[in-house]
């Protein structure tokens, strides 16, 4: 596989966005156990039903709820209303993510 094939694959499956989103989620949630968190994230992101670990049946998968219990979310409580620059920045971020 040469560089051109890799570029085509990355473009076809939008790998850059997936990696960016995974890094964002890891930074936001700061999981204690990265493996189960990533398995749960991938299952939610790509709407995989059943076992999170990719296994079908009863073999070795981790349930989605168990994967979600091992991380703590960062809670932010702003002490004031956001100013116009902050609101504009938030709107731009939402547009970029859409």
């Amino acid at each position: 596989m040469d560089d051109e094939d890799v570029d085509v694959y990355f473009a076809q499956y939008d790998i850059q966005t997936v990696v960016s989103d995974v890094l964002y989620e890891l930074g936001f949630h700061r999981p204690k156990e990265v493996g189960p968190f990533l398995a749960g994230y991938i299952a939610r992101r790509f709407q995989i039903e059943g076992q999170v670990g990719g296994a079908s049946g009863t073999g070795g998968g981790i349930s989605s709820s168990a994967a979600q219990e091992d991380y703590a979310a960062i809670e932010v409580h702003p002490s004031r209303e956001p100013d116009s620059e902050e609101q504009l920045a938030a709107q731009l971020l939402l547009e970029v993510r859409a």
Side-chain angles (χ1 to χ4, degrees):
M1 188 180 274
D2 60 359
D3 289 344
E4 187 175 303
D5 292 338
V6 172
D7 291 339
V8 169
Y9 181 84
F10 271 48
Q12 181 180 0
Y13 294 102
D14 199 15
I15 300 298
Q16 185 174 359
T17 300
V18 172
V19 171
S20 294
D21 291 349
V22 166
L23 291 175
Y24 173 81
E25 292 294 325
L26 284 172
F28 180 78
H29 294 290
R30 300 180 188 271
K32 295 174 187 171
E33 297 284 332
V34 175
F37 175 80
L38 286 177
Y41 173 77
I42 297 296
R44 289 188 309 274
R45 165 84 185 234
F46 298 104
Q47 300 172 353
I48 299 171
E49 295 185 22
Q51 300 288 326
V52 173
S56 58
T58 59
I62 301 169
S63 70
S64 180
S65 62
Q68 292 177 7
E69 292 174 3
D70 288 336
Y71 64 87
I74 298 172
E75 295 183 22
V76 177
H77 303 285
S79 59
R80 60 177 175 75
E81 290 294 315
D83 62 19
S84 61
E85 281 187 23
E86 292 171 331
Q87 289 178 348
L88 178 62
Q91 289 173 349
L92 291 173
L93 284 172
L94 289 173
E95 287 178 19
V96 167
R97 293 201 48 115

